[in-house]
Amino acid sequence: MPQNSTAPRILIVGGGYAGFYTAWKLEKHLRRGEADVTLVDPLPYMTYQPFLPEVAAGSIEPRHAVVAHRRHLKRTNVVTAKITGIDHANKVATISPSIGEPYEFAYDQIVVTAGAVSRTFPIPGIADNAIGLKTIEEAVAVRDKLLANFDKAASVPAGPERDRLLTVVVVGGGFAGIEAFAELRSLASSLVAKYPQISFEDTHFHLIEAMGRIMPEVSLKTSEWVLKDLARRGANVHLDTQVTGAVDGDVELSTGEVIPTDLIVWTAGVMANPTVVRGGDLPVEERGRIRTRADLRVGTPEEFVEGAWAAGDVAAVPDLTGGGVGGYCVPNAQHAVRQAKRLAKNLVAVLRGEGTKDYFHKNLGAVAGLGLYNGVFQSGNVALKGFVAWVAHRGYHGLAMPSWERKWRVLWGWWNNLWLGRDIVNLETVQQPREVFEQFAARPRPKTDAAPAAGPAKDAAKPAAAKKETAKAAADEPAAKKDAAKPAAKKPAAKKAPAKEAVDAKA
């Protein structure tokens, strides 16, 4: 929407969970003309990250797992660009669009919700061969890679190359890693029926976890049940094990084992978006997150930074329930959405001269999908496993998806898959969309130098000496013609050649 020069300007940095919900709720709570809201994000949509494992497994259409900013933020000025600098001392941010020069944007209130990115370590080969699972593009690439590898393996004889194609390695045993691992295992198991050349025993799945257990969000007993369930489905979990190398796809483990693979999925932790955090002057705590108070204003319990707010994975928000790791809220969707709702209410209260309230949310539990018709749910001492937990997983996330338009698309897709099965179309070539066109496109022929033209003009340009040589050649011409008129008998070689050719033709 166009900016009102007299209204306070609110800048939201990032359009993920926290950013999208903050803008969405500000539209609900602000009176028309009370403030101008601008949301800046390099992507034009919010990604519902709990659905990424199901997108990778072909259970959800990729477009249904994202929410378009411009469709659902009707009173917010949406800018598709990056924030590359925050000068809060002067309340100015630098916006860098994909086309054009960076420019400054003045604001009165800033909300930093830039989210997190995959946290990696300087392990040889990881940066070149692994892929994360934080974006919809990564989830689609993982799905297409696994499907393409099945196509290739079906035409390759048994051996090391075939084993490499049918081996998947997932690094990280948290919720994201376990869900991705289990969903991909479920997809591979279903694919075996479509490929008579491949048996279940030909597929190999390995999960690498540096700690002595998986899924710290659930009880030890529940995590042990998940381990047994994965083992029953032919998956290998390596606990107390680290990845030491991944050069050329050969995953080297701290145990000395080497696993050749063509698909490495990295889910071993996240970190606050460094581009935004390091590019600004807002206070940062030791883990690289923006230091945030319980009321979601930037600062400490004793003092806050006027006009600055933060929420979601980029912020270190105190967990007043006492259940957070290190005293802070864990980076997940459950906290990000609820923090955004509280932040929007607090920001509107400040604009109206009212007081703020602290964010307080007791974790309702954890729920994870482990492939079709299988899941796990933990809330306090209550644990559900198997089909019932899978229903709870889909029910919770189906309702948590923002907007009824998005809910309906996801639910409709699940309903279709129930009767038609998951879609296993491999669209890996979409990542090089111009390849076929370029292969057969006609191209202009390379230019060649034109032959020199002959004629009077050329002769006229000759120097006098060259003209004399031309005249001499003309005087000698009669003699040359006389020689040419001599009998052909004096040239026997020229006569013999045709005769020889005639003999060869008869033969």
Side-chain angles (χ1 to χ4, degrees), residues 8 29 34 38 99 114 158 190 197 217 244 249 261 265 324 394 423 480 501:
H29 300 307
E34 190 174 8
T38 298
I99 299 177
S190 68
Q197 307 90 340
E217 299 89 344
T244 58
T261 179
V265 182
R394 285 207 160 177
D423 197 333
E501 290 176 3

Short mmCIF file of all heavy atoms in Angstrom, two decimals, residues 8 29 34 38 99 114 158 190 197 217 244 249 261 265 324 394 423 480 501:
data_model
loop_
_atom_site.label_atom_id
_atom_site.label_comp_id
_atom_site.label_asym_id
_atom_site.label_seq_id
_atom_site.Cartn_x
_atom_site.Cartn_y
_atom_site.Cartn_z
N PRO A 8 3.17 6.62 11.48
CA PRO A 8 4.40 5.91 11.84
C PRO A 8 4.70 4.80 10.83
O PRO A 8 3.79 4.12 10.35
CB PRO A 8 4.08 5.32 13.23
CG PRO A 8 2.96 6.15 13.75
CD PRO A 8 2.17 6.56 12.56
N HIS A 29 -5.20 -5.53 13.82
CA HIS A 29 -5.31 -4.69 15.01
C HIS A 29 -5.19 -3.19 14.73
O HIS A 29 -5.74 -2.37 15.48
CB HIS A 29 -4.24 -5.09 16.03
CG HIS A 29 -4.35 -6.51 16.50
ND1 HIS A 29 -5.51 -7.05 17.00
CD2 HIS A 29 -3.43 -7.53 16.52
CE1 HIS A 29 -5.32 -8.31 17.32
NE2 HIS A 29 -4.07 -8.64 17.04
N GLU A 34 -3.51 4.24 10.67
CA GLU A 34 -2.82 4.41 11.95
C GLU A 34 -1.32 4.19 11.81
O GLU A 34 -0.53 4.76 12.56
CB GLU A 34 -3.40 3.44 12.98
CG GLU A 34 -2.91 3.68 14.40
CD GLU A 34 -3.61 2.81 15.42
OE1 GLU A 34 -4.38 1.89 15.02
OE2 GLU A 34 -3.41 3.03 16.63
N THR A 38 5.54 -2.08 6.14
CA THR A 38 6.31 -2.57 4.99
C THR A 38 7.01 -3.86 5.39
O THR A 38 7.69 -3.91 6.42
CB THR A 38 7.34 -1.55 4.51
OG1 THR A 38 6.66 -0.36 4.08
CG2 THR A 38 8.17 -2.09 3.35
N ILE A 99 17.38 -6.33 -8.73
CA ILE A 99 17.70 -5.48 -9.88
C ILE A 99 17.71 -4.03 -9.41
O ILE A 99 16.79 -3.57 -8.75
CB ILE A 99 16.65 -5.64 -11.01
CG1 ILE A 99 16.64 -7.10 -11.51
CG2 ILE A 99 16.95 -4.70 -12.16
CD1 ILE A 99 15.58 -7.37 -12.56
N ALA A 114 14.04 -12.25 10.69
CA ALA A 114 14.74 -12.78 9.51
C ALA A 114 14.95 -14.28 9.54
O ALA A 114 15.51 -14.85 8.60
CB ALA A 114 16.08 -12.06 9.34
N ALA A 158 23.89 -54.54 -10.83
CA ALA A 158 24.28 -54.55 -9.41
C ALA A 158 25.76 -54.27 -9.27
O ALA A 158 26.58 -54.80 -10.02
CB ALA A 158 23.91 -55.89 -8.78
N SER A 190 7.91 -47.34 -0.89
CA SER A 190 6.78 -47.39 -1.82
C SER A 190 7.24 -47.46 -3.27
O SER A 190 6.55 -48.02 -4.13
CB SER A 190 5.88 -46.17 -1.62
OG SER A 190 6.53 -44.98 -2.02
N GLN A 197 13.19 -54.05 -11.00
CA GLN A 197 14.64 -54.32 -11.01
C GLN A 197 15.28 -54.06 -9.64
O GLN A 197 16.43 -54.42 -9.40
CB GLN A 197 15.34 -53.43 -12.05
CG GLN A 197 14.75 -53.50 -13.44
CD GLN A 197 13.66 -52.48 -13.66
OE1 GLN A 197 13.07 -51.95 -12.70
NE2 GLN A 197 13.36 -52.20 -14.92
N GLU A 217 13.43 -33.53 22.06
CA GLU A 217 12.16 -32.90 22.42
C GLU A 217 11.18 -33.88 23.06
O GLU A 217 10.18 -33.45 23.66
CB GLU A 217 11.51 -32.27 21.18
CG GLU A 217 12.34 -31.18 20.52
CD GLU A 217 13.29 -31.74 19.46
OE1 GLU A 217 13.54 -32.97 19.44
OE2 GLU A 217 13.80 -30.95 18.66
N THR A 244 33.10 -36.79 9.29
CA THR A 244 34.43 -36.17 9.21
C THR A 244 34.79 -35.77 7.79
O THR A 244 35.77 -35.05 7.58
CB THR A 244 35.50 -37.12 9.76
OG1 THR A 244 35.48 -38.35 9.01
CG2 THR A 244 35.25 -37.42 11.24
N GLY A 249 31.05 -37.41 -2.37
CA GLY A 249 29.93 -38.22 -1.93
C GLY A 249 30.29 -39.39 -1.04
O GLY A 249 29.40 -40.14 -0.65
N THR A 261 27.48 -42.36 -1.25
CA THR A 261 26.09 -41.98 -1.47
C THR A 261 25.99 -40.88 -2.51
O THR A 261 26.97 -40.14 -2.74
CB THR A 261 25.43 -41.51 -0.16
OG1 THR A 261 24.08 -41.11 -0.42
CG2 THR A 261 26.18 -40.32 0.42
N VAL A 265 21.63 -35.27 3.04
CA VAL A 265 20.71 -34.23 3.53
C VAL A 265 21.21 -33.77 4.90
O VAL A 265 21.33 -34.57 5.83
CB VAL A 265 19.26 -34.77 3.64
CG1 VAL A 265 18.33 -33.65 4.10
CG2 VAL A 265 18.80 -35.33 2.31
N GLY A 324 12.73 -23.80 28.45
CA GLY A 324 13.59 -23.58 27.29
C GLY A 324 15.04 -23.94 27.55
O GLY A 324 15.53 -23.84 28.68
N ARG A 394 -1.02 -34.74 11.38
CA ARG A 394 -1.65 -34.09 10.23
C ARG A 394 -2.76 -33.14 10.67
O ARG A 394 -2.94 -32.06 10.09
CB ARG A 394 -2.20 -35.15 9.27
CG ARG A 394 -1.10 -35.84 8.47
CD ARG A 394 -1.60 -36.35 7.15
NE ARG A 394 -0.51 -36.58 6.22
CZ ARG A 394 -0.67 -37.08 5.00
NH1 ARG A 394 -1.89 -37.38 4.57
NH2 ARG A 394 0.36 -37.24 4.20
N ASP A 423 2.20 -38.75 -5.47
CA ASP A 423 2.67 -38.44 -6.82
C ASP A 423 4.18 -38.69 -6.90
O ASP A 423 4.94 -38.13 -6.11
CB ASP A 423 2.37 -36.97 -7.14
CG ASP A 423 2.44 -36.68 -8.63
OD1 ASP A 423 3.18 -37.39 -9.33
OD2 ASP A 423 1.78 -35.74 -9.08
N ALA A 480 51.27 -17.78 -75.95
CA ALA A 480 50.65 -18.78 -75.07
C ALA A 480 49.55 -19.52 -75.80
O ALA A 480 49.39 -20.74 -75.66
CB ALA A 480 50.10 -18.08 -73.82
N GLU A 501 40.84 -45.46 -66.69
CA GLU A 501 39.56 -45.36 -65.97
C GLU A 501 38.50 -46.21 -66.63
O GLU A 501 37.69 -46.84 -65.97
CB GLU A 501 39.11 -43.91 -65.91
CG GLU A 501 39.98 -43.04 -64.97
CD GLU A 501 39.57 -41.59 -65.01
OE1 GLU A 501 38.58 -41.28 -65.72
OE2 GLU A 501 40.24 -40.79 -64.36
#
